[in-house]
Amino acid sequence: MGRWTNMPRTTRWVVRLLHPFLMRITRRDWRGAEKLPTGGYVLAPNHISHLDPILISHFMVDHGVTPRFLAKDTLFDVKVVGGILRGAEQIPVYRSTVGAAESLAAATAAVEAGQVVTIYPEGTITRDPALWPMSGRTGAVRVALASGRPLVPLAQWGAQDILWPYSKRFRFLPRKTIHVRVGDPVDLSDLEGQELTEKLLHEATDRLVDALTALVGEIRGELPAGPRVDVHTLEKPRTNYSPPTNTSTEEH
């Protein structure tokens, strides 16, 4: 328990509640933890199930990393869940709105302060029928380039066997194996110090998703058979973001 003492109190409470349960219902095939950098960095996993945050957090906690995610803002309005997220110092993300910049600024500040922030490049659970990574949104690379800290791909597989995407039916038995592969940080050195144009950001994001796809392929022992699903063709996510109201008045 001593390794969890530096985590927020709410996080410690959740870990003590869930960790024994997760140890019983899963087998763990975790590789590449030695590639995790020290200090702040961006952790970028693929997204295959609503259970991903819990199972990825299990991996992080067991390797001394405090779980901190960019989580969709609507979750913060859910009773109990919202309080837990705030207490665990998760960062709300206002997806597909101008408020997304506020979320990324908060994430950048956290990484610069030495924290690890997990950002799903796809921004949502994959819509690929075979659960391969989709094309990515640029948030993860924006934070990595703005902070100058590493961008670390993390591939995971197995969560979908417990809870299929958008299903409500859990399958705990027989016990499932959760596979994790941590890759080498994505090399963005040639892009550092340049203007963050859309072209540059998409190039960096393609590198990240290529790395994730290769790692998922390593776990599965195969490669995608078809083209990558484009996240920009998906319906815009729901959000409760409201632009701040300008309350200033001019003196005459």
Side-chain angles (χ1 to χ4, degrees):
M1 294 294 181
R3 59 186 166 175
W4 303 337
T5 56
N6 292 329
M7 298 179 183
R9 179 180 299 177
T10 299
T11 303
R12 295 199 305 271
W13 177 82
V14 173
V15 168
R16 286 173 179 142
L17 179 68
L18 290 181
H19 192 268
F21 175 68
L22 293 174
M23 291 294 290
R24 289 187 177 92
I25 68 165
T26 66
R27 294 185 177 91
R28 292 152 301 282
D29 170 32
W30 290 343
R31 305 183 193 182
E34 70 279 359
K35 297 180 181 180
L36 294 174
T38 57
Y41 57 90
V42 178
L43 191 65
N46 60 313
H47 205 351
I48 55 176
S49 169
H50 284 302
L51 282 182
D52 291 350
I54 293 174
L55 295 171
I56 292 171
S57 293
H58 186 189
F59 170 81
M60 296 171 73
V61 164
D62 274 11
H63 292 90
V65 180
T66 298
R68 184 169 286 105
F69 288 74
L70 249 64
K72 57 185 180 181
D73 67 293
T74 51
L75 291 175
F76 288 77
D77 295 327
V78 179
K79 289 184 178 179
V80 180
V81 173
I84 292 174
L85 292 175
R86 283 186 286 272
E89 299 179 7
Q90 307 305 297
I91 301 172
V93 58
Y94 306 98
R95 301 178 296 174
S96 299
T97 73
V98 295
E102 301 173 20
S103 307
L104 296 180
T108 301
V111 172
E112 289 176 338
Q115 300 172 3
V116 178
V117 176
T118 302
I119 304 175
Y120 294 104
E122 299 160 277
T124 189
I125 294 174
T126 182
R127 302 299 203 279
D128 185 277
L131 304 188
W132 290 101
M134 301 184 291
S135 70
R137 301 186 184 277
T138 60
V141 298
R142 284 179 186 271
V143 173
L145 287 169
S147 64
R149 297 297 298 161
L151 175 63
V152 182
L154 181 150
Q156 47 101 25
W157 189 251
Q160 79 286 349
D161 292 331
I162 300 176
L163 184 64
W164 189 258
Y166 302 102
S167 170
K168 297 181 180 179
R169 183 178 179 182
F170 291 88
R171 298 177 181 271
F172 293 118
L173 296 175
R175 190 162 58 152
K176 309 301 189 294
T177 299
I178 306 303
H179 305 269
V180 169
R181 297 290 185 278
V182 179
D184 293 316
V186 179
D187 185 4
L188 302 178
S189 58
D190 59 317
L191 306 179
E192 293 175 356
Q194 297 187 39
E195 180 183 358
L196 298 184
T197 63
E198 287 301 311
K199 180 180 179 181
L200 180 148
L201 290 167
H202 285 295
E203 178 182 343
T205 301
D206 286 345
R207 294 182 193 179
L208 169 59
V209 177
D210 286 346
L212 275 176
T213 302
L215 288 167
V216 174
E218 179 183 316
I219 296 172
R220 297 174 58 170
E222 58 181 339
L223 292 174
R228 195 171 281 163
V229 175
D230 184 356
V231 297
H232 300 94
T233 64
L234 305 181
E235 181 182 353
K236 286 190 175 183
R238 186 168 64 89
T239 177
N240 293 335
Y241 177 74
S242 297
T245 302
N246 186 0
T247 57
S248 63
T249 58
E250 294 182 357
E251 293 185 3
H252 297 283

